Amino acid sequence: MDVDHARCVHYSFLCLDCEHGWDGTYDIDMTVDEHGRLAPVYHLDGRQSPRCPNCKNREVRIMRPGDATSTRPHER
């Protein structure tokens, strides 16, 4: 399997559990599997797949840069 570093991309994130919002930069590596299909692998701060820095949950919404600061928590 070949791996090429594609780029760094800035995103905003929102935790779907605790509703914490933050900004981060993804490193996106493109992999090519044995069938020749492209598959992106996302790394945030050296870890594959982002985790909420507040509660460590992996269920996050990825948004355009700056959207995390405009997100308001829902009333429960």
Side-chain angles (χ1 to χ4, degrees), residues 33-48:
D33 67 13
E34 62 275 1
H35 302 288
R37 295 179 292 218
L38 289 175
V41 177
Y42 299 94
H43 297 272
L44 178 66
D45 299 328
R47 295 169 302 201
Q48 189 174 347

Side-chain angles (χ1 to χ4, degrees), residues 8-40:
C8 293
V9 181
H10 187 77
Y11 288 108
S12 289
F13 302 89
L14 177 67
C15 178
L16 299 178
D17 188 36
C18 73
E19 297 180 346
H20 175 71
W22 73 100
D23 293 321
T25 301
Y26 257 132
D27 290 323
I28 303 174
D29 296 320
M30 296 301 293
T31 62
V32 179
D33 67 13
E34 62 275 1
H35 302 288
R37 295 179 292 218
L38 289 175

